[in-house]
Short mmCIF file of all heavy atoms in Angstrom, two decimals:
data_model
loop_
_atom_site.label_atom_id
_atom_site.label_comp_id
_atom_site.label_asym_id
_atom_site.label_seq_id
_atom_site.Cartn_x
_atom_site.Cartn_y
_atom_site.Cartn_z
N GLY A 18 -9.87 25.60 -38.03
CA GLY A 18 -10.27 24.23 -37.65
C GLY A 18 -8.97 23.38 -37.15
O GLY A 18 -9.07 22.59 -36.26
N LEU A 19 -7.98 23.49 -38.00
CA LEU A 19 -6.80 22.62 -37.81
C LEU A 19 -6.07 23.13 -36.49
O LEU A 19 -5.61 22.30 -35.75
CB LEU A 19 -5.83 22.56 -38.97
CG LEU A 19 -6.28 21.84 -40.16
CD1 LEU A 19 -5.34 22.14 -41.33
CD2 LEU A 19 -6.33 20.39 -39.78
N ILE A 20 -6.03 24.49 -36.38
CA ILE A 20 -5.33 25.05 -35.11
C ILE A 20 -6.21 24.67 -33.89
O ILE A 20 -5.57 24.23 -32.88
CB ILE A 20 -5.35 26.55 -35.38
CG1 ILE A 20 -4.24 26.84 -36.43
CG2 ILE A 20 -4.89 27.22 -34.00
CD1 ILE A 20 -4.10 28.37 -36.77
N CYS A 21 -7.56 24.82 -34.01
CA CYS A 21 -8.40 24.42 -32.82
C CYS A 21 -8.16 22.92 -32.49
O CYS A 21 -7.98 22.47 -31.27
CB CYS A 21 -9.83 24.66 -32.99
SG CYS A 21 -10.10 26.46 -33.05
N ALA A 22 -8.03 22.01 -33.41
CA ALA A 22 -7.88 20.60 -33.33
C ALA A 22 -6.50 20.38 -32.58
O ALA A 22 -6.43 19.51 -31.74
CB ALA A 22 -8.01 19.78 -34.53
N LEU A 23 -5.44 21.09 -33.10
CA LEU A 23 -4.21 20.85 -32.61
C LEU A 23 -4.04 21.28 -31.07
O LEU A 23 -3.48 20.67 -30.18
CB LEU A 23 -3.25 21.67 -33.43
CG LEU A 23 -1.68 21.53 -33.02
CD1 LEU A 23 -1.25 20.11 -33.16
CD2 LEU A 23 -0.84 22.36 -33.92
N ILE A 24 -4.70 22.45 -30.78
CA ILE A 24 -4.70 22.91 -29.45
C ILE A 24 -5.48 21.99 -28.47
O ILE A 24 -5.11 21.72 -27.38
CB ILE A 24 -5.36 24.28 -29.38
CG1 ILE A 24 -4.42 25.35 -30.04
CG2 ILE A 24 -5.63 24.79 -27.84
CD1 ILE A 24 -4.94 26.70 -30.22
N LEU A 25 -6.49 21.46 -28.98
CA LEU A 25 -7.39 20.44 -28.14
C LEU A 25 -6.53 19.19 -27.98
O LEU A 25 -6.58 18.62 -26.90
CB LEU A 25 -8.64 20.23 -28.91
CG LEU A 25 -9.64 19.27 -28.17
CD1 LEU A 25 -10.18 19.89 -27.00
CD2 LEU A 25 -10.82 18.96 -29.00
N LEU A 26 -5.83 18.69 -28.98
CA LEU A 26 -4.88 17.48 -28.83
C LEU A 26 -3.91 17.79 -27.72
O LEU A 26 -3.51 16.94 -26.87
CB LEU A 26 -4.36 17.18 -30.17
CG LEU A 26 -3.43 16.01 -30.17
CD1 LEU A 26 -4.23 14.74 -29.88
CD2 LEU A 26 -2.65 15.86 -31.48
N ILE A 27 -3.22 18.94 -27.87
CA ILE A 27 -2.26 19.33 -26.87
C ILE A 27 -2.74 19.33 -25.45
O ILE A 27 -2.07 18.77 -24.43
CB ILE A 27 -1.56 20.56 -27.29
CG1 ILE A 27 -0.73 20.45 -28.52
CG2 ILE A 27 -0.69 21.19 -26.15
CD1 ILE A 27 -0.07 21.70 -29.06
N ILE A 28 -3.89 19.88 -25.30
CA ILE A 28 -4.54 19.98 -23.91
C ILE A 28 -4.89 18.62 -23.40
O ILE A 28 -4.60 18.21 -22.31
CB ILE A 28 -5.88 20.87 -23.97
CG1 ILE A 28 -5.37 22.38 -24.15
CG2 ILE A 28 -6.69 20.77 -22.68
CD1 ILE A 28 -6.57 23.27 -24.46
N ILE A 29 -5.40 17.82 -24.25
CA ILE A 29 -5.66 16.33 -23.83
C ILE A 29 -4.39 15.69 -23.43
O ILE A 29 -4.37 14.86 -22.45
CB ILE A 29 -6.45 15.64 -25.05
CG1 ILE A 29 -7.87 16.28 -25.09
CG2 ILE A 29 -6.49 14.14 -24.72
CD1 ILE A 29 -8.64 15.78 -26.17
N LEU A 30 -3.36 15.90 -24.28
CA LEU A 30 -2.14 15.20 -23.91
C LEU A 30 -1.50 15.58 -22.64
O LEU A 30 -1.08 14.79 -21.66
CB LEU A 30 -1.08 15.29 -25.02
CG LEU A 30 -1.27 14.52 -26.23
CD1 LEU A 30 -0.36 14.86 -27.40
CD2 LEU A 30 -1.09 13.06 -26.01
N LEU A 31 -1.60 16.98 -22.42
CA LEU A 31 -0.97 17.53 -21.18
C LEU A 31 -1.79 17.02 -19.96
O LEU A 31 -1.33 16.65 -18.91
CB LEU A 31 -1.10 19.08 -21.22
CG LEU A 31 0.09 19.63 -22.11
CD1 LEU A 31 0.00 21.02 -22.16
CD2 LEU A 31 1.41 19.28 -21.52
N ALA A 32 -3.11 16.93 -20.07
CA ALA A 32 -3.97 16.45 -19.01
C ALA A 32 -3.87 15.04 -18.63
O ALA A 32 -3.78 14.57 -17.50
CB ALA A 32 -5.50 16.74 -19.33
#
Side-chain angles (χ1 to χ4, degrees):
L19 287 174
I20 290 173
C21 289
L23 184 61
I24 289 173
L25 186 63
L26 179 68
I27 290 172
I28 290 173
I29 290 171
L30 283 174
L31 288 175

